[in-house]
Amino acid sequence: MAIERLAVIGLGLIGSSIARAVKARLPDVAVTGYDVSADVRDEARLLGFCDRLADDAADAVRDADLVILAVPVGGMADAARAMAPGLAQHTIISDVGSSKAGVGAALRAALPGHLVIPAHPVAGTENSGPAAGFATLFEGRWCIITPAPDAPGDAVTALTGFWQALGATVDTMDAEHHDMVLAVTSHLPHLIAYTIVGTASELEEVTESEVIKYSAGGFRDFTRIAASDPVMWRDVFLANKDAVLATLQRFNEDLTVLQQAIRRGDGDKLEAWFTRTRAIRRSIIAEGQDDPAPDFGRKH
Amino acid sequence: MAIERLAVIGLGLIGSSIARAVKARLPDVAVTGYDVSADVRDEARLLGFCDRLADDAADAVRDADLVILAVPVGGMADAARAMAPGLAQHTIISDVGSSKAGVGAALRAALPGHLVIPAHPVAGTENSGPAAGFATLFEGRWCIITPAPDAPGDAVTALTGFWQALGATVDTMDAEHHDMVLAVTSHLPHLIAYTIVGTASELEEVTESEVIKYSAGGFRDFTRIAASDPVMWRDVFLANKDAVLATLQRFNEDLTVLQQAIRRGDGDKLEAWFTRTRAIRRSIIAEGQDDPAPDFGRKH
Ligand SMILES: NC(=O)c1ccc[n+]([C@@H]2O[C@H](COP(=O)([O-])OP(=O)(O)OC[C@H]3O[C@@H](n4cnc5c(N)ncnc54)[C@H](OP(=O)(O)O)[C@@H]3O)[C@@H](O)[C@H]2O)c1
Ligand SMILES: NC(=O)c1ccc[n+]([C@@H]2O[C@H](COP(=O)([O-])OP(=O)(O)OC[C@H]3O[C@@H](n4cnc5c(N)ncnc54)[C@H](OP(=O)(O)O)[C@@H]3O)[C@@H](O)[C@H]2O)c1
């Protein structure tokens, strides 16, 4: 099952990075792009990362072997319905949404009789829009595929090969487990970062300009992910509500433990906790998932 | 009031960076180093960033114009008492501790009749020890000085000039305000990071190896500061307990608001919050306190 024609719906950070990576690594694949926003389509045309830009979703997907939806999670069903009239029977429909159970269900409901294999490349930056994408975004990163148990093996193999060709390593799991794993490794960190950046900007005792000036003490690390796209993240929290609230509860319990240790002056408990967390970073670096240079290798 | 002889007590990340920066930018200043650990003294001798290494704290500070204590906050009083017999009357005693009110009081109590001017360079990395230091650590960063109201102006000017010579910009404020500002910009972020990394490593539903594999979704940003020195941070939380607990309470209130918005499906509230936090990062970058490249400019 060869993928010769690809359609990308939604040409922001992720969609445009896919198109760019295909140009760079799969030059024989023809890429058609579509975005609901005419401005984004114009920008994409100028940037030149698609072979063709369609002005209509159904037209974009006509004859495609693979369609990838790269729109915010809350927009997946609408995007699917808009393209449905143009879909061929053999087309694989996939997506890149950051949550999977809800998105899979929404796509299957919107596209009865079509094959849907959800996916999620665990790669991104804090920027959004077509200019933010780049061809190497997926290199050395993981892509998680969450096929239904009855998904045809050749289609799963084709989608796996596609992501591998873009430089990713592919893992397969069920959508519910994906959503729990990502709640911990991505959604809770974003929620916490958004919270603390909000808290810091609204204290009476410390001005916003002081927070900015002295941010090198640690705060600036949180501001990166708290600068991520508001609409994308609104949708992720609404779509993965249960797993996010469950992990948040665990976080709150742990925070209460540390808060109590500080209040009571229990230095041993604090030191033991802080020693344990060091090991995790070493493992992340050993697995090639972060830069070993101090300060992430920042110039500053 | 010229600083011609400097003694650095504690030769870890910060102490060794001061010595290196002095070599690079103030080559006429003679630097004597001392560390309570014989291993660290040996390593420092090998690394060669001090003109002289003393095997005794009192000997190290003899004739110094400026002494800088660069030991964990909880060790400041001990370090001060050990060097006291060698101190001359004209010597300025300063430090680099991450909290200031408690450290200032402890140093003044340990060194009656001597001039203490506490300071805090807002610069660091997640690494510790003498090999982790580097000469450019303080360039473009802030150093906060917290002199007592009756501190002699010429001594404050000399210390200010010293830090400026190392590339820092100096700000002066009272110790209590420093502790509140740093609680927000540094201590609370570290506490939150330590908490979430601990939480993620102890969930039943998600294995530690999954957390490590998929950390590029956001989690890895938190692991950097959660890899910081456990003893240093234990001491900071114990020393700045009140300000940390006060800002933590505000954080908890805000987290409850966002938690409720997720539970109720209030997308507008989430989107408005996430839009506000974006602006802060832009200001931090505009002020040169972080790297504008996506992902902090990480190679991965
Ligand atoms: N950013 C990350 O780090 C990351 C990582 C992994 C996965 N993801 C997932 O990737 C998806 C896209 O995220 P992104 O970061 O690429 O967002 P983005 O840069 O904001 O791009 C999304 C694009 O989709 C367009 N769009 C919205 N609704 C559409 C529709 N019905 N039909 C066609 N186009 C539509 C948007 O147009 P308008 O701007 O006009 O709305 C926008 O141009 C999301 O599901 C997200 O969860 C993101
Ligand atoms: N790291 C940062 O990002 C940062 C930033 C700004 C300020 N600070 C402050 O700077 C100070 C030093 O931190 P650091 O990161 O440089 O720590 P570090 O790398 O762990 O170095 C501290 C050194 O001081 C030694 N020491 C401990 N007690 C001593 C004593 N009584 N006399 C002499 N030496 C003693 C330690 O020896 P042992 O290892 O044998 O105990 C160690 O070699 C702390 O007060 C911290 O709050 C740190």
Side-chain angles (χ1 to χ4, degrees), chain A residues 10 12-14 35-37 40 70-73 79 96-98 120-121 123-124 128-129 232:
Chain A
L13 169 70
I14 303 295
D35 196 287
V36 75
S37 147
V40 171
V71 306
V73 161
V96 295
S98 304
H120 176 205
S128 52
M232 170 188 155

Side-chain angles (χ1 to χ4, degrees), chain A residues 226-243:
Chain A
S228 300
D229 192 69
V231 169
M232 170 188 155
W233 282 98
R234 174 201 69 193
D235 283 6
V236 170
F237 292 119
L238 298 180
N240 201 22
K241 179 172 168 161
D242 294 342

Side-chain angles (χ1 to χ4, degrees), chain B residues 208-225:
Chain B
E208 191 169 309
S209 109
E210 286 176 316
V211 169
I212 290 162
K213 269 166 88 169
Y214 306 120
S215 59
F219 181 71
R220 61 181 179 158
D221 281 18
F222 289 70
T223 61
R224 186 187 79 80
I225 59 181

Side-chain angles (χ1 to χ4, degrees), chain A residues 42-89:
Chain A
D42 286 346
E43 203 179 342
R45 204 167 274 124
L46 227 69
L47 290 164
F49 49 70
C50 291
D51 296 305
R52 182 172 81 93
L53 279 152
D55 283 321
D56 169 290
D59 174 45
V61 302
R62 223 172 293 281
D63 298 323
D65 304 310
L66 172 64
V67 174
I68 299 185
L69 292 155
V71 306
V73 161
M76 293 285 179
D78 275 356
R81 273 188 294 267
M83 72 185 188
L87 278 179
Q89 199 48 50

Side-chain angles (χ1 to χ4, degrees), chain A residues 115-138:
Chain A
L115 173 60
V116 173
I117 310 180
H120 176 205
V122 184
T125 76
E126 64 275 28
N127 298 331
S128 52
F134 51 98
T136 56
L137 179 61
F138 311 109

Side-chain angles (χ1 to χ4, degrees), chain A residues 245-265:
Chain A
L245 292 175
T247 57
L248 179 54
Q249 188 182 331
R250 299 294 304 272
F251 171 83
N252 274 326
E253 289 165 14
D254 289 337
L255 188 56
T256 303
V257 169
L258 287 178
Q259 180 173 12
Q260 206 166 60
I262 293 173
R263 196 183 303 284
R264 293 179 181 167

